[in-house]
């Protein structure tokens, strides 16, 4: 087994909203904290592929719809166009900005961000790549995956993972 690389009071596995909040709170009380995230993007499903990007796309569609409906309110919009590539790029840049805010918040709270996939070596030791980290408290905050029910019509449903 590799020697212990660093000691922490608290290690959080998962850089989504729950893990981030817990890590920052512990650090605010003086704990030496690390967050391990394997996706390379902090913020979890909501920020990266769920709520946030969905709302950007929904808002773009709503604006186009409002322009189309404007004529019913005596408003003339002579010309408009929609650039899908521009909207997608703006959405992706917004998500990247949020990822950066999450990382800066960790830095402000002196929480160490470890990029990689965690695996348990023991109840107090976590391995990431070739490093082993030790903490007396470890939180698993990796989120979950949707379960599509086996019912009629479920093939028409969507989730954030696909």
């Amino acid at each position: 087994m590799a020697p212990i690389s660093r000691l922490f009071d608290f290690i959080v596995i998962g850089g989504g909203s729950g893990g981030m909040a817990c890590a920052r709170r512990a650090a605010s009380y003086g704990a030496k904290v690390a967050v391990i995230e394997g996706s390379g993007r902090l913020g979890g499903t909501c920020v990266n592929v769920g709520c946030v990007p969905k709302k950007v796309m929904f808002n773009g569609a709503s604006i186009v719809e409002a322009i189309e409906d404007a004529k019913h309110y005596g408003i003339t919009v002579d010309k408009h166009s929609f650039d899908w590539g521009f909207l997608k790029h703006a959405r992706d840049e917004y998500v990247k900005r949020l990822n950066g805010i999450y990382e800066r918040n960790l830095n402000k709270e002196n929480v160490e961000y470890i990029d990689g996939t965690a695996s348990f070596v023991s109840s107090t030791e976590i391995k990431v790549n070739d490093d082993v980290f030790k903490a007396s408290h470890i939180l698993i905050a990796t989120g979950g995956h949707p379960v599509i029910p086996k019912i009629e019509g479920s093939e028409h449903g969507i989730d954030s993972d696909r």
Side-chain angles (χ1 to χ4, degrees), residues 6-80:
R6 285 191 294 285
L7 296 171
F8 294 94
D9 299 313
F10 187 45
I11 293 175
V12 177
I13 302 170
S17 56
M20 295 291 287
C22 195
R24 291 181 64 206
R25 178 62 57 98
S28 76
Y29 290 123
K32 184 175 179 185
V33 181
V35 169
I36 301 169
E37 172 57 47
S39 73
R41 300 185 302 175
L42 294 171
T45 296
C46 181
V47 168
N48 291 297
V49 295
C51 316
V52 171
K54 183 235 12 150
K55 287 177 184 170
V56 170
M57 302 307 277
F58 179 83
N59 288 341
S62 295
I63 291 168
V64 171
E65 184 178 38
I67 290 169
E68 295 291 328
D69 287 346
K71 64 183 172 249
H72 301 294
Y73 296 90
I75 302 167
T76 302
V77 179
D78 291 328
K79 181 181 174 188
H80 72 278

Side-chain angles (χ1 to χ4, degrees), residues 19 89 109 114-115 130 143:
H89 178 74
E109 299 282 349
I114 301 166
D115 186 14
D130 294 327

Side-chain angles (χ1 to χ4, degrees), residues 24-151:
R24 291 181 64 206
R25 178 62 57 98
S28 76
Y29 290 123
K32 184 175 179 185
V33 181
V35 169
I36 301 169
E37 172 57 47
S39 73
R41 300 185 302 175
L42 294 171
T45 296
C46 181
V47 168
N48 291 297
V49 295
C51 316
V52 171
K54 183 235 12 150
K55 287 177 184 170
V56 170
M57 302 307 277
F58 179 83
N59 288 341
S62 295
I63 291 168
V64 171
E65 184 178 38
I67 290 169
E68 295 291 328
D69 287 346
K71 64 183 172 249
H72 301 294
Y73 296 90
I75 302 167
T76 302
V77 179
D78 291 328
K79 181 181 174 188
H80 72 278
S81 64
F82 176 72
D83 184 337
W84 175 263
F86 179 89
L87 179 60
K88 183 185 176 310
H89 178 74
R91 176 200 67 194
D92 294 345
E93 288 301 310
Y94 181 61
V95 168
K96 280 185 197 172
R97 187 168 71 84
L98 293 176
N99 296 148
I101 289 169
Y102 271 98
E103 191 163 357
R104 284 189 297 281
N105 285 339
L106 289 181
N107 289 333
K108 279 194 286 191
E109 299 282 349
N110 294 314
V111 174
E112 184 169 341
Y113 169 37
I114 301 166
D115 186 14
T117 301
S119 60
F120 278 88
V121 175
S122 73
S123 63
T124 60
E125 296 173 340
I126 301 292
K127 183 175 183 183
V128 180
N129 302 318
D130 294 327
D131 295 316
V132 176
F133 305 99
K134 185 171 185 169
S136 53
H137 302 283
I138 299 171
L139 172 68
I140 302 171
T142 56
H145 296 281
V147 175
I148 308 299
K150 298 198 184 305
I151 59 172

